[in-house]
Amino acid sequence: MSPAILAEGLVKKYGDVVALDGVDLAVPEGTVFALLGPNGAGKTTTVRILTTLLRPDAGRATVAGFDVVAEADRLRARIGASGQYAAVDDHLTGAENLEMVGRLYHLGVRRSKQRARELLERFDLTEAADRPVRGYSGGMRRRLDLAGALVADPPVLFLDEPTTGLDPRARASLWDVVAELVAGGTTVLLTTQYLEEADRLAQTIAVVDHGRVIALGTADELKGQVGGDRVELTLSRPEDVDVARRALAPVAAGETRADAATLRLTIPVSTGTAALTSALGLLAAERVAVRDAVLRRPTLDEVFLTLTGHQAGEPAKSAKSKEYSR
Amino acid sequence: MTALQTALADGVTITKRNILKIRRAPDLLGGAITFPIVFVLLFAYVFGSMIELPGMSYREYMLPGIFVQTIVMSAQITGYTLTLDLQKGIFDRFRTLPMAPSAVLIGQTLGDVLMNVASLVSMALVGLVVGWRIHSAPHEAVLGFLVLLLFAYAFSWVTATVALSLRTPEVFNNIATIVSMPLVFLSNAFVDSTRLPGPLQVAAEWNPVSAVIQAIRELFGNTSAAMPVPDAWPLRHPVTATLLWSALLLIVFVPLATRLYKRAVSR
């Protein structure tokens, strides 16, 4: 079966600034694919090309089998897109917004109205359905925007930072919606800066930096790239930090990181639980008091740091200027 | 559905959206009704008390000028609304939908025709109160209003084009004001163009706004035999000139604005 989304060598330049520098993607039908990266990495540009808002300078892409440039019209009938900020009309009510989108997908009057009501209910907006969107909270607007993307029940869905600015409850309910859609066969491409989100939702994660995919795989595969597990210890006394660090040298498989403020030591290890046991033994011998000890897989933050040399949260330096150039 | 049917259906959908917006935003409609009233009263009582014209009252002379000034100014609403929609990302949503790309601009400009109708009605009523009268046959008067609305419609495609190339509401407002002021005042709207110094007179008489004003002055019968019509061709044949100007603006700016819209993304 051909992939629902396929991109080959996408390049997009704004003047001298290269926003996309040859992006390749292949998203199998019925899966969630996450583009993970800092601001300015090229995530939104990629989504804009795939949703026909921008034309690539080079490369080609198909969505649901249609070329993003040559068959843009037919492609648009098969996708739904929800952007970084809610693209909803302030003066219209929630119901009117969704009915308008339905009409523009050419669903017809009755079907548009019916679909609007279904989606308002699904996104817990029934009570606010007939109020102008101007009075909605930020979270309500985002939900309405997402509902707009689902009006035509599209087989391929693009969500550009869908949970940025949502409270934890709203975020969790959005994750449920995505899981439900994928269970029903929808293909979802989402962008996120939240590693937890990509880990939680996506089968495949592409780490994007400076307009290039720098790593691709499942969350577990990416974690594998940064080596084994981590032993994480929280100490009781600040004066123990240096002692503990020296004492743990025999079990560390890499560089131990110590956070003086939280008294937390992170030690890469290669022998799993055995390493945890010996670490605790070594510290007991030095009479270091340990408040908390865990063995865990590396986080995607650590993956990102290893792959790019900077944290996911901080924008890549050269990409920063691009944001202001348009 | 054929492409044309799609375009029409989508145009109707977007026009409905814009009418709803006008109904829900009383500030917009309120502005479109009250600003022209303020202008009519100011010009009627301030300039009207000072300026004497041969054979007719200044109030009758200037009211067609204010009609046209108002439609030129209110065409800016078209552009301003478009820049707001562009900024809020609403165009991003529209452009990912399988809709006709021309529909958004057609819907916007048609919605603004309704705003113009409201403005013209309020101005005409206040005009009647301050002493403006229609001296022509009813069909000529109706034609006068239609000519005005046609030019207003064509002109709102100009502001749409400017708005989509400037992109931000603030920049658009500044540029639109700088351009529209000379367009209105360097014309025969409030002064007799034949008394302007040489180059200004030529500019005023070939200004499309002057042709529109002359056209509706004639169609409303707000002219005086004692005030000769200048020799410039557009003012000798003002209705034809207005129709030609409107057609030219539409031919040039409808495709231009549509092309800009197709490439417009919020950031």
Side-chain angles (χ1 to χ4, degrees):
Chain A
M1 192 161 43
S2 66
I5 303 171
L6 184 70
E8 288 167 354
L10 292 182
V11 173
K12 184 74 191 172
K13 291 178 190 154
Y14 295 112
D16 289 340
V17 184
V18 180
L20 290 188
D21 192 9
V23 167
D24 301 313
L25 301 172
V27 184
E29 216 169 90
T31 64
V32 181
F33 187 95
L35 287 177
L36 174 68
N39 279 331
K43 306 187 300 287
T44 298
T45 307
T46 306
V47 170
R48 289 205 164 147
I49 288 174
L50 295 175
T51 54
T52 75
L53 291 177
L54 285 178
R55 279 159 168 262
D57 294 330
R60 56 181 292 278
T62 59
V63 175
F66 296 114
D67 187 276
V68 292
V69 177
E71 298 167 302
D73 288 339
R74 281 196 283 171
L75 187 157
R76 289 187 193 113
R78 312 277 295 160
I79 61 167
S82 174
Q84 269 183 54
Y85 16 57
V88 289
D89 211 316
D90 272 351
H91 296 295
L92 269 54
T93 66
E96 285 165 352
N97 263 290
L98 294 183
E99 280 166 29
M100 176 179 76
V101 172
R103 298 298 303 275
L104 295 173
Y105 270 113
H106 308 123
L107 298 185
V109 183
R110 273 189 50 206
R111 181 86 188 104
S112 298
K113 277 190 194 295
Q114 185 195 346
R115 192 71 186 127
R117 293 288 151 185
E118 283 167 21
L119 286 165
L120 288 163
E121 198 178 321
R122 177 170 190 179
F123 286 93
D124 206 11
L125 291 167
T126 304
E127 263 175 57
D130 297 316
R131 292 208 309 264
V133 170
R134 208 179 350 190
Y136 281 26
S137 71
M140 289 163 77
R141 300 164 80 95
R142 294 298 293 267
R143 265 141 61 203
L144 185 66
D145 187 55
L146 180 65
L150 300 180
V151 165
D153 232 333
V156 183
L157 188 62
F158 293 90
L159 305 175
D160 192 11
E161 304 206 1
T163 60
T164 301
L166 291 189
D167 62 38
R169 210 181 111 226
R171 182 178 298 178
S173 82
L174 187 132
W175 287 353
D176 290 345
V177 170
V178 172
E180 209 179 295
L181 288 168
V182 173
T186 306
T187 307
V188 179
L189 183 141
L190 63 88
T191 74
T192 184
Q193 298 186 47
Y194 300 114
L195 307 155
E196 186 197 357
E197 187 162 278
D199 197 358
R200 165 87 186 256
L201 287 177
Q203 280 82 16
T204 312
I205 300 170
V207 182
V208 191
D209 198 36
H210 296 114
R212 254 192 294 251
V213 176
I214 56 168
L216 182 76
T218 63
D220 280 340
E221 283 164 2
L222 291 178
K223 287 170 184 174
Q225 290 194 15
V226 266
D229 297 338
R230 301 285 189 274
V231 166
E232 202 168 85
L233 300 166
T234 311
L235 308 182
S236 301
R237 294 185 300 258
E239 60 269 27
D240 285 344
V241 172
D242 285 334
V243 182
R245 198 181 196 153
R246 253 178 282 121
L248 291 171
V251 292
E255 194 193 341
T256 298
R257 279 192 298 134
D259 183 346
T262 57
L263 305 181
R264 186 176 298 147
L265 297 178
T266 306
I267 310 113
V269 296
S270 50
T271 51
T273 48
L276 179 62
T277 319
S278 28
L280 290 173
L282 290 167
L283 292 181
E286 298 285 337
R287 298 187 181 282
V288 171
V290 178
R291 203 168 56 194
D292 187 41
V294 287
L295 177 74
R296 62 164 175 78
R297 309 274 287 139
T299 64
L300 281 167
D301 271 313
E302 287 160 335
V303 174
F304 208 86
L305 192 60
T306 313
L307 292 171
T308 66
H310 56 86
Q311 298 274 357
E314 57 192 50
K317 278 190 196 87
S318 65
K320 189 78 183 167
S321 58
K322 187 204 72 186
E323 269 196 291
Y324 298 104
S325 69
R326 257 186 83 83
Chain B
M1 274 198 288
T2 66
L4 184 64
Q5 281 173 314
T6 310
L8 286 177
D10 294 345
V12 169
T13 304
I14 300 289
T15 308
K16 277 191 196 156
R17 163 201 180 231
N18 286 307
I19 293 172
L20 278 174
K21 277 174 74 167
I22 292 171
R23 268 177 35 198
R24 303 264 165 76
D27 48 325
L28 218 57
L29 189 59
I33 293 172
T34 50
F35 275 121
I37 294 178
V38 170
F39 273 118
V40 170
L41 293 176
L42 272 178
F43 276 83
Y45 289 101
V46 178
F47 292 100
S49 324
M50 309 295 286
I51 299 176
E52 305 240 341
L53 293 175
M56 70 185 297
S57 83
Y58 184 68
R59 289 181 191 173
E60 293 225 341
Y61 181 79
M62 59 118 220
L63 213 83
I66 292 191
F67 279 150
V68 177
Q69 178 195 30
T70 301
I71 58 154
V72 167
M73 298 289 183
S74 75
Q76 291 184 32
I77 295 175
T78 303
Y80 184 70
T81 319
L82 289 175
T83 55
L84 284 184
D85 281 351
L86 182 62
Q87 226 177 28
K88 286 185 191 158
I90 292 173
F91 285 179
D92 288 3
R93 152 88 359 114
F94 285 153
R95 289 195 44 237
T96 60
L97 297 176
M99 64 185 285
S102 54
V104 170
L105 296 175
I106 289 174
Q108 181 67 48
T109 49
L110 284 180
D112 293 340
V113 170
L114 292 183
M115 298 275 276
N116 274 320
V117 170
S119 292
L120 289 179
V121 169
S122 80
M123 274 188 294
L125 291 177
V126 178
L128 290 172
V129 171
V130 301
W132 169 71
R133 292 291 180 271
I134 292 174
H135 302 289
S136 57
H139 74 272
E140 283 177 310
V142 170
L143 190 62
F145 283 111
L146 289 180
V147 163
L148 257 179
L149 288 172
L150 172 70
F151 182 77
Y153 184 74
F155 194 70
S156 60
W157 283 92
V158 179
T159 55
T161 307
V162 175
L164 290 172
S165 46
L166 295 177
R167 303 173 61 88
T168 57
E170 295 79 10
V171 178
F172 171 77
N173 259 2
N174 287 337
I175 301 281
T177 308
I178 291 168
V179 174
S180 63
M181 292 298 266
L183 203 58
V184 170
F185 285 93
L186 188 50
S187 75
N188 58 3
F190 304 111
V191 295
D192 178 0
S193 62
T194 54
R195 288 159 65 190
L196 289 169
L200 285 186
Q201 184 185 345
V202 174
E205 288 174 356
W206 285 85
N207 182 346
V209 165
S210 296
V212 183
I213 294 168
Q214 185 65 29
I216 60 171
R217 273 188 186 135
E218 288 184 4
L219 289 168
F220 292 150
N222 299 133
T223 51
S224 151
M227 289 179 66
V229 178
D231 279 332
W233 185 87
L235 300 185
R236 289 278 170 179
H237 310 88
V239 177
T240 314
T242 303
L243 295 178
L244 286 176
W245 270 117
S246 304
L248 182 70
L249 293 182
L250 288 170
I251 289 167
V252 173
F253 288 97
V254 170
L256 214 54
T258 309
R259 219 180 105 194
L260 283 171
Y261 166 77
K262 282 191 199 166
R263 286 188 292 170
V265 272
S266 59
R267 252 194 331 171

